[in-house]
Amino acid sequence: MKADSIAILGLQWGDEGKGKVIDFLSENCHAVARFGGGANAGHTIVVNREKFILKLLPSGVLHQDKLCFIGSGVVCDPEVLETEISDLEKRGISTGGRVFIDYGAHLVLPLHKASDGHLEASRGRGALDTTKRGIGPAYADRASRIGIRVVDIFDSKALALKLDTLFGAHESMLNEIQDEALINRSSLAQSLSHYEILFKPMMTDVGPKIMDLIRSGKKVLFEGAQGALLDIDFGSYPYVTSTHTTTGGIFSGLGIPPQYLGSTIGVFKAYMTRVGHGPFPAEITGDFASKLREKGGEYGSVTGRPRRVGWLDLVMLSRMININGIDKLAITKLDVLDGLDEISVCESYEIEGRKVSDVPANHPDFYNARPVYTKLKGWDKPTAGIRKLDKLPKEARSYLDYITEKIGIPIWLISTGYSRDDTILADD
Ligand code: IMP
């Protein structure tokens, strides 16, 4: 079977502009499925000048005829999901009968959000700067086999026992926090039963549904959240999120085997950003960094935090392309580099006098890695809004050609603005 499905994965630290690419490509798909992460994601999509930020719902939801799936690999904050759905309904986008969530998706509860903040505070100077959306603690409870899943809220007796175990496990944290609302188990049980109405029509066994669609020739898009450099194993641990953001997460997060994945598109930004702490060899600071941040609107869409900015790092990009098995690349925000005299690209690192061309496994090395840059000529004519490859300024083409030559994978999609239409397909 040759599966007609595509995965869209971020190759940097998240915020690569996946939302736009997913929205653009989902037009030709029958369904979009989210396999990991939670409301720590913030996919920004602009349609007809209207801005949408989606945290849990797959970005394909903006196309009213698409089915949307949330797999068991996602941790779901029911409050966020409910608000997101009702906000879309208010804006004229109906979701009824086309959004589905797996029975086994774990819930993010108020206790997880409190625990996230508490853990961060206890880390002191070693804080990770998480989104504080309860992601780490919810996945930790899942791994400890004490989490609460979507299906659990439909059996109130069993749920009460499960909540006892969960609260017992978090007792010392709850004692330290001393928040009455947080320890009120009966009000939590009550609020969870309220979500029966939300989940009942959505709850399903996601894996078989997706496999049926693909077997019947329908195209499915697998939507990545966060980026490869935030993968729990392959990112810059511990400055990572708590899931597999790389290709492997698709199969475990949706419950489908690898032969159901057709091709994999990796999305990266023309420069780099990171929110939260952790190594960032090609980071830039000072006035120029502030200008780039402003021009690119580089503020977290979930938390509003200013993003750290830097030049494109080909060492990291190559590694993440290999880990994910990327077939084609999509570059976003090329227009943010418009008007620069010169553009730097990090090609290798220098660590204690040695030239290093791969991502260091060891943390201190990563922190000591100094970027070795190649400088390319910038372009003064705008790329913003250009929709044909041959209309790009010559130097912008050279920038793309240089990346392709170094990376060895074709750049297939180029995004030149926020709007759905500000997109170039290289083979168009
Ligand atoms: P957590 O996922 O909230 O636990 O945060 C762990 C790290 O991942 C922090 O550095 C966050 O800033 C980062 N992170 C999590 N989700 C995203 C995202 O969607 N975009 C960018 N960074 C993210």
Side-chain angles (χ1 to χ4, degrees), residues 51-322:
K51 184 170 170 177
F52 296 85
I53 297 178
L54 298 169
K55 296 173 187 155
L56 272 170
L57 287 168
S59 302
V61 76
L62 300 182
H63 295 275
Q64 304 245 23
D65 56 337
K66 309 297 170 202
L67 300 181
C68 292
F69 293 96
I70 300 172
S72 61
V74 173
V75 286
C76 173
D77 183 334
E79 206 181 320
V80 175
L81 186 63
E82 187 172 55
T83 310
E84 209 159 88
I85 287 177
S86 84
D87 285 352
L88 283 185
E89 301 276 344
K90 278 185 214 141
R91 294 170 78 175
I93 296 174
S94 110
T95 59
R98 63 186 187 95
V99 174
F100 302 95
I101 188 164
D102 198 274
Y103 297 101
H106 280 245
L107 298 180
V108 177
L109 304 176
L111 161 153
H112 293 124
K113 287 180 263 190
S115 169
D116 203 349
H118 186 258
L119 254 171
E120 274 289 86
S122 69
R123 287 185 187 114
R125 283 166 51 105
L128 310 180
D129 202 10
T130 71
T131 59
K132 301 205 180 58
R133 296 304 187 266
I135 305 301
Y139 279 114
D141 282 347
R142 180 175 88 150
S144 302
R145 288 144 296 166
I146 55 170
I148 309 293
R149 299 171 309 153
V150 168
V151 68
D152 293 330
I153 65 175
F154 292 87
D155 181 345
S156 56
K157 264 200 194 145
L159 178 64
L161 292 175
K162 286 176 182 164
L163 288 178
D164 281 348
T165 309
L166 182 68
F167 275 72
H170 287 276
E171 195 174 353
S172 65
M173 182 268 297
L174 292 167
N175 284 343
E176 274 181 53
I177 292 185
Q178 290 290 331
D179 178 339
E180 279 304 312
L182 209 57
I183 55 175
N184 190 334
R185 217 167 303 177
S186 59
S187 86
L188 174 63
Q190 220 172 0
S191 72
L192 287 180
S193 71
H194 154 87
Y195 292 120
E196 282 185 21
I197 303 164
L198 173 74
F199 285 125
K200 192 142 197 208
M202 294 167 60
M203 202 171 60
T204 191
D205 196 354
V206 162
K209 287 272 180 318
I210 291 179
M211 287 195 264
D212 279 351
L213 287 174
I214 294 176
R215 272 197 303 263
S216 65
K218 302 269 187 348
K219 189 165 185 152
V220 177
L221 187 152
F222 304 122
E223 164 170 340
Q226 287 81 44
L229 293 168
L230 288 172
D231 186 280
I232 179 100
D233 279 329
F234 306 111
S236 45
Y237 191 89
Y239 301 99
V240 291
T241 190
S242 302
T243 34
H244 288 293
T245 55
T246 43
T247 318
I250 298 172
F251 313 115
S252 56
L254 292 171
I256 59 164
Q259 58 269 40
Y260 282 80
L261 173 60
S263 64
T264 310
I265 296 172
V267 184
F268 68 104
K269 205 147 45 178
Y271 51 99
M272 288 183 80
T273 60
R274 166 166 213 171
V275 261
H277 300 151
F280 186 170
E283 181 168 16
I284 44 179
T285 52
D287 281 354
F288 176 63
S290 308
K291 279 191 197 133
L292 196 60
R293 181 177 304 112
E294 289 310 312
K295 191 163 179 206
E298 298 297 353
Y299 291 87
S301 40
V302 171
T303 59
R305 291 173 295 174
R307 296 176 184 147
R308 298 157 66 192
V309 296
W311 294 117
L312 183 63
D313 183 332
L314 295 183
V315 183
M316 291 202 200
L317 192 62
S318 306
R319 172 126 165 96
M320 293 306 140
I321 284 171
N322 287 341

